[in-house]
Amino acid sequence: MHLQHLSVHRKYVATLLACVLLVALGSFVALLAPHASANQNTGVKVSFSPLILADKDGTEFPNKTAHLEDPVRMKFAWDASTANPQPDESFSIGLPAEYRYREIGRHDDLVLGNGTKVGDCVTTTETLTCTFNAAISAATELKGSGNQMIVAQKVTQDNKTTFDANGTEVEVFHPNNERILPIAWVEKDLGKYANSLKRESSSLTWHIQFSGTTIANHLGVEAGSVNTVTFNDVSGGGQKLNPDLGSWYVRVNPEEFGGGADGYFDVAKADGTAMNTDHGKFTLKPTIGADGTTASITLSRTDGNFAKNANYEIVYQSLAEGGKIVPGKVYSNSATLNGGKNTTVSAQMAYKDPISYDVQLTQGFGSFGVKKYVTGAHQNDVPADTKIRVNVAYELPNGTTETDYPSWANKPASNPYTVEVAAGQQQAGDTLREFPKGTKITLTEDTSAAALPGALGWGGKTFSVNGTETQETATFAVDSSVQAVGLYNEVIQKTGSFSVVKKVEGSNKEAFSKETFQIAYTCENGSEGTLDVKGDGTPVDGPSVPVGTNCEVTEKEKQADGGAEREGYTVDTKIDNGAFTIKEGAASATLVTVTNTYTEVPKPTPTPTPTEEPTPTPTPTEVPAPGTSASTPSGNGGSNLASTGTSAMPVVAAVAALLATGYVILAVRRRAS
């Protein structure tokens, strides 16, 4: 009895466990099986327009075929007129294996045809799900449209594929009604490009590309003979080069592997890490400048030369200031090859953030909103509260007047009128005005009241409406939604210049005025050099220099250096306005006059050579006859006072004796002392 009871109990437990396992297995299978979301409203109808090839910026190319990894624009329409949609219900669009959504996790507004926001759309890798909000309960026009960027990720043999349109399979043609083509290997010329940005990007990825053949052409050497290249890299405003050498790497694309993503191989990092040595051994050495905006980048192949039939890429990042890219801000980067042609390549990248307004528009009316972006190296120097005026002029459709629209509310107070938009911000919602559908809008910009600090100024401007970019003005027709208008302004450094004239005065003026003199200039911003100026007064313009920069002009001295000195002349140099501050405008606004006054050095008069005087012949003295003496008549009775011959000798002898005696006495005294 006991054994029988135990046997029954075991059977019961076994049966129970089996049931539990079956239930669990069923639940697991159910999880794996595709099924509609509990809140999915399958009554919402989804349709598609033909897929269109695009580029990384979203520009469309309707008549071109897609290749692997190409961006593609997917436009769809949805209709919930018969679906009785409720808040928190949803519809979805599932992608076939040939495509993936480009931006994962982004949120976009679900908008009716009249502009009313009635939900939110979220993307995963393969599915777009749009969920209705409470506004759908009061909506009357239960139709809308949207678009998303997808990416071709599979080569096909057919020209169409099948999309999941909210639970219904719908055939959709590939771009240009042709199959998705593989990427063929293409030899890359020396160039630069950047990866696409997303809304939450914190960095930019830059690429320097070349083939073994094209880099040799730019260096002016034989193809296949190059193993080392060096680039001088410069980043534009709003970013710093990533100092983490582990983020810098080299990749190789040999011809035999094709041009697709699978044909590129990461081979080495700048920190010395070897990633793949099957296609060569490489070293990458970036030397980043102190301010983080410049770098010297040297790439070497250590086991040979760059292959003729292979592409090479240097890949590196710049970090956005503030830790996040600014939508609409244009980021730039350039690289100059050392040697050969010293070729410079550059690229720029921006994320164009859409404008979103949650407003209720009157049936049959539409509006627009403006968002202001600043670009250029000095974009970060613009104060956040700088406001730009946008002038709005409009023309009602088909010759109608205001009286033809009795329901027109929230209309402009005048035509034209003005709105203000702060830099980096979109137009305030309470400044939006409604217009009858089809109204022609013309926008112009007025920067006169938007003064910039220092020597900064507004450069070129660009309007962007519905993917179309125009300069100076934007003209478009109002539809039944709030259209996004982007206004881009470059912020530039104002520049000016100066001019130099040379005047020659004084001696030999005519000859010297035909000669050329070198005038030197130095500016506090580091700009320096010389100008070749003729002495005839012809002005010569200097270089462009930022407004507000202090400069000085001097003249060289030695003639061998192009200076003012001339042999045989003295020169007096006078420089009028030799020290000055650069002003905005033409070079002639700042005139420097250098005047040289020459004076000929007189030639010395030669000293005459004196004529030698002849030596006069002495007159012979008469010698008296022997026995007689010469005498002169005396005034004292005729006595003879003067005599010659032996009569004088006693006197002379006496004087000599006296002198000798004095000398002896003096000598004795000195010795005694």
Side-chain angles (χ1 to χ4, degrees):
M1 293 288 295
H2 179 71
L3 292 175
Q4 184 179 4
H5 175 75
L6 182 61
S7 177
V8 172
H9 179 71
R10 287 177 176 176
K11 289 181 179 179
Y12 173 77
V13 171
T15 303
L16 181 62
L17 288 174
C19 292
V20 170
L21 288 173
L22 286 173
V23 171
L25 182 61
S27 301
F28 180 72
V29 171
L31 289 173
L32 294 179
H35 63 283
S37 169
N39 293 327
Q40 183 176 1
N41 188 328
T42 57
V44 180
K45 307 299 182 183
V46 177
S47 58
F48 299 92
S49 300
L51 300 178
I52 302 175
L53 178 69
D55 62 13
K56 59 180 181 290
D57 295 324
T59 303
E60 299 178 1
F61 302 94
N63 299 316
K64 290 191 176 181
T65 304
H67 290 72
L68 195 64
E69 297 300 322
D70 277 344
V72 173
R73 178 81 68 184
M74 178 190 75
K75 298 181 180 180
F76 64 92
W78 60 273
D79 187 350
S81 302
T82 60
N84 189 27
Q86 301 298 313
D88 295 328
E89 291 186 343
S90 64
F91 67 89
S92 63
I93 298 175
L95 298 183
E98 294 91 340
Y99 296 98
R100 69 176 185 272
Y101 285 104
R102 191 174 73 170
E103 293 190 44
I104 309 304
R106 67 172 287 165
H107 289 249
D108 294 278
D109 294 341
L110 180 65
V111 182
L112 296 175
N114 61 11
T116 303
K117 179 183 176 180
V118 293
D120 183 67
C121 298
V122 180
T123 57
T124 62
T125 304
E126 300 176 352
T127 306
L128 170 68
T129 302
C130 298
T131 303
F132 298 109
N133 61 22
I136 196 68
S137 301
T140 57
E141 189 177 328
L142 304 180
K143 299 179 180 179
S145 60
N147 69 85
Q148 279 282 9
M149 295 298 296
I150 59 179
V151 179
Q153 61 175 8
K154 186 178 179 180
V155 175
T156 70
Q157 300 301 318
D158 298 324
N159 65 341
K160 60 184 177 181
T161 187
T162 301
F163 280 66
D164 180 355
N166 197 31
T168 301
E169 293 186 350
V170 176
E171 286 190 341
V172 180
F173 286 98
H174 297 305
N176 203 34
N177 289 352
E178 297 186 22
R179 70 187 185 96
I180 300 175
L181 300 175
I183 301 176
W185 187 85
V186 176
E187 184 177 63
K188 304 294 185 180
D189 195 2
L190 177 59
K192 174 178 275 290
Y193 70 95
N195 289 2
S196 300
L197 294 174
K198 297 180 180 180
R199 186 178 298 176
E200 301 299 322
S201 296
S202 60
S203 63
L204 300 99
T205 301
W206 305 100
H207 300 248
I208 302 174
Q209 65 179 13
F210 58 87
S211 75
T213 299
T214 57
I215 198 66
N217 292 338
H218 286 274
L219 290 172
V221 298
E222 183 180 354
S225 65
V226 181
N227 58 20
T228 299
V229 290
T230 298
F231 298 92
N232 293 324
D233 192 83
V234 179
S235 293
Q239 57 184 320
K240 302 284 186 182
L241 292 169
N242 193 342
D244 178 13
L245 298 185
S247 68
W248 298 62
Y249 66 96
V250 183
R251 65 179 191 162
V252 182
N253 172 219
E255 182 179 12
E256 62 265 30
F257 291 93
D262 294 339
Y264 283 83
F265 301 90
D266 300 340
V267 296
K269 292 184 178 182
D271 62 0
T273 303
M275 306 172 73
N276 185 326
T277 59
D278 295 340
H279 309 286
K281 297 180 180 179
F282 300 85
T283 59
L284 178 63
K285 296 181 179 179
T287 303
I288 302 175
D291 64 353
T293 64
T294 62
S296 175
I297 308 171
T298 299
L299 170 64
S300 299
R301 180 170 181 179
T302 60
D303 63 341
N305 297 324
F306 297 126
K308 298 179 183 179
N309 57 343
N311 296 318
Y312 300 86
E313 287 192 2
I314 303 172
V315 187
Y316 52 103
Q317 292 180 336
S318 61
L319 306 177
E321 293 182 351
K324 183 180 177 181
I325 62 105
V326 178
K329 178 178 290 188
V330 179
Y331 298 88
S332 62
N333 183 275
S334 65
T336 301
L337 175 67
N338 280 0
K341 301 177 181 179
N342 294 313
T343 308
T344 298
V345 292
S346 59
Q348 59 183 25
M349 179 56 61
Y351 180 81
K352 298 179 180 179
D353 192 23
I355 301 175
S356 178
Y357 292 97
D358 188 9
V359 297
Q360 184 72 42
L361 296 174
T362 305
Q363 186 86 18
F365 290 79
S367 187
F368 66 90
V370 179
K371 188 166 185 177
K372 174 68 181 174
Y373 304 100
V374 291
T375 67
H378 299 279
Q379 55 188 304
N380 293 333
D381 299 327
V382 179
D385 58 350
T386 302
K387 293 186 177 181
I388 307 296
R389 293 175 181 170
V390 179
N391 298 319
V392 184
Y394 62 92
E395 181 181 341
L396 296 176
N398 304 316
T400 57
T401 65
E402 290 188 21
T403 58
D404 296 315
Y405 305 96
S407 62
W408 189 0
N410 195 22
K411 57 186 174 183
S414 62
N415 185 15
Y417 69 100
T418 300
V419 295
E420 286 188 335
V421 187
Q425 299 181 16
Q426 70 180 36
Q427 181 182 345
D430 58 7
T431 66
L432 300 182
R433 298 292 178 259
E434 290 186 349
F435 301 91
K437 185 178 179 180
T439 299
K440 178 181 176 182
I441 303 293
T442 300
L443 305 179
T444 56
E445 183 187 40
D446 178 11
T447 58
S448 60
L452 294 175
L456 299 181
W458 296 107
K461 55 179 154 302
T462 301
F463 287 95
S464 178
V465 185
N466 299 326
T468 301
E469 295 186 349
T470 57
Q471 309 295 320
E472 302 300 328
T473 64
T475 301
F476 58 95
V478 172
D479 59 19
S480 53
S481 65
V482 181
Q483 296 185 70
V485 177
L487 175 55
Y488 300 82
N489 271 106
E490 183 183 12
V491 180
I492 61 174
Q493 175 76 59
K494 294 180 182 178
T495 61
S497 187
F498 61 94
S499 61
V500 179
V501 297
K502 179 76 168 183
K503 294 183 179 180
V504 176
E505 303 290 347
S507 305
N508 210 11
K509 171 182 177 180
E510 290 75 15
F512 291 155
S513 63
K514 299 177 181 178
E515 298 185 11
T516 299
F517 302 80
Q518 284 201 337
I519 307 299
Y521 65 88
T522 57
C523 300
E524 62 182 4
N525 72 324
S527 180
E528 60 181 3
T530 58
L531 303 175
D532 292 331
V533 186
K534 292 193 70 174
D536 59 1
T538 302
V540 176
D541 293 343
S544 292
V545 181
V547 170
T549 304
N550 295 320
C551 299
E552 185 177 8
V553 165
T554 57
E555 183 174 27
K556 296 190 175 185
E557 295 182 1
K558 296 183 179 181
Q559 184 175 1
D561 299 331
E565 292 182 348
R566 295 293 184 271
E567 186 177 358
Y569 296 84
T570 62
V571 58
D572 179 32
T573 300
K574 179 184 178 183
I575 302 179
D576 294 324
N577 199 28
F580 52 89
T581 302
I582 295 295
K583 304 175 183 177
E584 185 179 4
S588 58
T590 301
L591 181 64
V592 181
T593 303
V594 183
T595 304
N596 295 134
T597 302
Y598 290 92
T599 302
E600 186 175 7
V601 178
K603 296 180 180 179
T605 304
T607 304
T609 304
T611 303
E612 187 175 354
E613 297 279 344
T615 304
T617 304
T619 304
T621 304
E622 185 177 354
V623 180
T628 65
S629 60
S631 61
T632 303
S634 173
N636 58 2
S639 62
N640 294 329
L641 298 177
S643 64
T644 60
T646 58
S647 62
M649 292 302 295
V651 178
V652 173
V655 173
L658 289 172
L659 291 172
T661 301
Y663 177 79
V664 171
I665 294 171
L666 180 61
V668 172
R669 287 181 177 176
R670 287 181 175 175
R671 184 173 293 177
S673 64

